[in-house]
Amino acid sequence: MAEIINMPRLSDTMEEGTVATWLKKVGDKISEGDILAEIETDKATMEFESFHEGTLLYIGVQEGETTKVDELLAIIGEEGEDISALIGGASAPAAEEATAEAPVAEAPAQASESAAIPEGVIVVTMPRLSDTMEEGTVATWLKKVGDNVEEGDILAEIETDKATMEFESFNTGTLLYIGLQEGESAKVDSLLAIIGPAGTDVSAVASNFGSAPAAAPAPKAEAPKAAAPKAEAPKAAAPVAKKAAPAPSETPKVTKDGGRLFVSPLAKKIADEKGFNIADIPGSGESGRIIKRDVENFTPKAVAPAAAAGTSAPVSEESFEEIKNSNMRKAIAKNLAKSKFTAPHYYLNVEFDMDNAIAFRKEVNAVPDTKISFNDIVVKACAMALKQHPQVNSQWFDDKMRLNHHVHIGVAVAVEDGLLVPVVKFADQRKLTEIGAAVKEYAIKAKTKKLTLEEMDGSTFTISNLGMFGIETFTSIINQPNSAILSVGAIVQKPVVKDGAIVVGNTMKLCLAADHRTIDGATGAQFLQTLKGFIENPISMLL
């Protein structure tokens, strides 16, 4: 059966999208996960992947054309299938696929005979905050039921597959209902909250959201019909709605020195997992409420040796801990597995003399208010070498290869939940000090979960550095669609041969992982030779 693909909402503020490039054409076979097109949003140009398999039967928006979110973009189905009714009927048949997507979230619905949405009420659904996001987790609610909400206010922090991001309200009113508590997850477009005039009863709206009969889908501007009889639904659902939406600051309550301590459910969950006494953690939220970041930044006092000995588990006792995979961890697993098993990796290992780089860095850092790292030197050297070897600065797509004339270098940063790759854009044109400042800023943002999608988008080459952990050599998995990634090890002092004599020297090992579909072995070797010249003689980067 044919599937209608609508223009996706690829950012929280996106209202329309422009097709920058189609990566598939009518008649092409589509597999789940294939990139269909590059969509230009209000924030960036992003890849849009297919969640369906079949043949691309129809393209509704040509390259350069713009359309609203949820309008017909393409149709995928069986080869030769008749889709004339779907094209002629606009997006009406798409209701089966859309499953109540966006209508009630975007605008108040017209009154209907059963469980209609009251006037002025807005249903807010789980937003799609990244191009690959399928579900989200509420990390923190910044508003509670009963609070006034203004357009632009931050409602909650949502954990996606890439980062934890702030989600702002596009509406003004009172927060009447919260559908997901902190720590809970739901699919994109599931009920998140309800905003409307103070005192409005929205219990029926909450209980019947998404339960309209599939045989009679409502038009886009209308609310889904209630599945329960109209006279009974509000009465039956009202107590549940009231009980399901307590203010986050009111639960749970624990006693501390005779007083009440307010804790968010997610903070309590993390504290339990870490074995912390929640009463020992100072809160930084509203009214001293303990929230997620308080637990993550908390350092417990050292336990006295005697007490530790008394509570230790028997040596023979088996134990384990199960940690639910975060959305970010799931995305990392999916993307790296896809890269490893679809891109034919090969590896080129080199060892560079770092004596001149050490002396160069020392001289630069002697200048007041100036500080660069060896990693900054590597980033700059790679950027300049990539300008001379555009084949290594390339990207692979199913039907084409892209040779990039700009150099955007992704710098891998380890965070608690996995790995983020902020991008230093136009790195070849930046000074070493500018690169150093950018990398430092991105590292701080990554660890505090403040990186934006734009700051992680568009890399053409990636660098992963484990030298600060004492790792001398390692291999990395290519960050697709890039064609290569450079693994950087630690600088090691050891005996080396110079001018026929054995002397003490400093060396650093690097490994280039390359995609053989785009980069031949000789091309990769020539890139490393150019890189060697810049790193072993860093002053040449200033000429």
Side-chain angles (χ1 to χ4, degrees):
M1 178 177 177
E3 300 283 353
I4 289 186
I5 312 300
N6 290 330
M7 174 64 72
R9 185 184 301 277
L10 298 178
S11 80
D12 52 332
T13 58
M14 177 179 171
E15 296 182 358
E16 63 181 16
T18 301
V19 176
T21 308
W22 278 104
L23 302 178
K24 298 289 185 179
K25 60 182 183 294
V26 172
D28 282 357
K29 297 294 184 183
I30 308 296
S31 298
E32 183 176 351
D34 282 357
I35 305 301
L36 287 178
E38 293 180 346
I39 306 291
E40 181 183 339
T41 74
D42 56 337
K43 292 185 175 179
T45 299
M46 307 175 72
E47 294 179 341
F48 175 52
E49 68 178 66
S50 173
F51 300 106
H52 305 285
E53 295 187 351
T55 299
L56 183 56
L57 303 175
Y58 178 78
I59 288 177
V61 182
Q62 300 304 314
E63 292 184 356
E65 292 182 349
T66 301
T67 192
K68 296 285 186 182
V69 169
D70 292 329
E71 292 297 319
L72 176 63
L73 180 66
I75 299 177
I76 294 176
E78 297 180 3
E79 188 172 356
E81 186 174 354
D82 182 9
I83 57 171
S84 56
L86 298 182
I87 299 172
S91 58
E96 289 185 30
E97 177 190 287
T99 61
E101 180 179 71
V104 291
E106 293 302 316
Q110 301 296 324
S112 65
E113 292 186 358
S114 59
I117 293 182
E119 183 178 357
V121 168
I122 302 294
V123 176
V124 181
T125 57
M126 176 64 73
R128 187 185 300 276
L129 297 178
S130 80
D131 51 331
T132 56
M133 177 180 171
E134 296 180 4
E135 66 178 26
T137 301
V138 177
T140 307
W141 278 104
L142 302 180
K143 297 287 185 180
K144 60 182 183 293
V145 170
D147 281 356
N148 288 327
V149 178
E150 299 289 336
E151 183 177 353
D153 283 356
I154 305 301
L155 285 179
E157 293 180 343
I158 306 292
E159 179 190 339
T160 74
D161 56 337
K162 292 186 175 180
T164 299
M165 305 178 66
E166 294 179 338
F167 174 53
E168 68 179 61
S169 173
F170 304 111
N171 306 286
T172 298
T174 299
L175 184 56
L176 303 173
Y177 178 81
I178 286 177
L180 289 175
Q181 299 304 312
E182 293 183 347
E184 292 182 346
S185 302
K187 295 289 185 182
V188 168
D189 293 328
S190 299
L191 176 61
L192 182 64
I194 300 177
I195 295 173
T200 305
D201 181 8
V202 295
S203 55
V205 177
S207 62
N208 289 292
F209 180 80
S211 63
K220 284 199 168 186
E222 297 184 0
K225 306 293 184 182
K230 61 182 178 181
E232 298 179 4
K235 293 181 180 178
V240 177
K242 290 179 181 178
K243 191 173 182 180
S249 59
E250 294 178 358
T251 56
K253 302 181 183 69
V254 296
T255 302
K256 180 180 182 183
D257 298 331
R260 280 169 39 176
L261 187 66
F262 299 113
V263 188
S264 79
L266 181 58
K268 187 175 186 303
K269 177 176 180 290
I270 297 174
D272 290 341
E273 291 174 350
K274 293 179 177 288
F276 295 163
N277 181 352
I278 196 71
D280 293 337
I281 303 175
S284 64
E286 184 179 355
S287 302
R289 179 168 173 260
I290 299 172
I291 56 180
K292 179 184 177 185
R293 65 170 175 265
D294 299 326
V295 181
E296 292 177 333
N297 296 331
F298 176 68
T299 302
K301 296 179 180 178
V303 181
T311 58
S312 61
V315 175
S316 59
E317 181 179 335
E318 293 184 355
S319 65
F320 63 88
E321 179 182 5
E322 289 187 350
I323 301 174
K324 183 179 179 181
N325 290 330
S326 67
N327 293 335
M328 183 186 296
R329 180 60 63 186
K330 292 176 185 175
I332 289 172
K334 176 183 177 181
N335 295 337
L336 292 186
K338 178 182 177 182
S339 176
K340 185 66 175 177
F341 297 121
T342 60
H345 288 56
Y346 71 91
Y347 305 95
L348 299 176
N349 298 283
V350 290
E351 187 172 12
F352 292 167
D353 183 344
M354 296 299 290
D355 286 346
N356 289 339
I358 292 172
F360 174 79
R361 176 174 178 264
K362 185 176 180 180
E363 286 189 26
V364 171
N365 287 348
V367 177
D369 300 323
T370 302
K371 188 171 181 63
I372 62 171
S373 68
F374 289 112
N375 193 64
D376 301 333
I377 294 174
V378 173
V379 171
K380 177 67 172 179
C382 283
M384 296 186 69
L386 288 168
K387 289 295 289 183
Q388 298 185 31
H389 301 277
Q391 195 76 28
V392 182
N393 196 41
S394 64
Q395 293 169 315
W396 172 267
F397 301 96
D398 287 343
D399 59 346
K400 63 186 176 185
M401 179 193 309
R402 177 180 295 167
L403 301 182
N404 295 295
H405 301 301
H406 59 278
V407 179
H408 293 347
I409 295 196
V411 181
V413 177
V415 296
E416 182 179 359
D417 293 335
L419 192 71
L420 295 176
V421 186
V423 181
V424 180
K425 296 185 177 179
F426 304 106
D428 58 307
Q429 301 174 25
R430 296 201 183 194
K431 297 178 181 179
L432 276 165
T433 51
E434 293 174 342
I435 290 174
V439 172
K440 184 177 180 180
E441 178 187 359
Y442 289 154
I444 293 172
K445 283 188 173 183
K447 294 182 186 300
T448 55
K449 299 183 178 180
K450 297 298 182 183
L451 277 175
T452 66
L453 291 176
E454 186 176 0
E455 289 170 332
M456 294 186 285
D457 183 57
S459 68
T460 60
F461 184 86
T462 311
I463 295 174
S464 179
N465 191 336
L466 293 179
M468 66 286 293
F469 300 108
I471 303 299
E472 294 186 29
T473 184
F474 65 102
T475 59
S476 299
I477 299 174
I478 297 169
N479 181 26
Q480 289 187 332
N482 296 349
S483 295
I485 183 171
L486 186 70
S487 306
V488 181
I491 296 176
V492 177
Q493 192 173 69
K494 67 176 187 179
V496 297
V497 177
K498 287 188 177 182
D499 299 326
I502 298 177
V503 297
V504 176
N506 295 277
T507 67
M508 180 175 71
K509 293 180 180 179
L510 305 93
C511 176
L512 180 72
D515 185 339
H516 219 315
R517 294 175 299 184
T518 50
I519 305 173
D520 295 329
T523 303
Q526 290 164 359
F527 165 76
L528 289 173
Q529 285 180 335
T530 303
L531 182 65
K532 175 184 174 73
F534 286 129
I535 290 181
E536 292 192 346
N537 298 284
I539 196 171
S540 63
M541 292 189 288
L542 306 180
L543 301 177

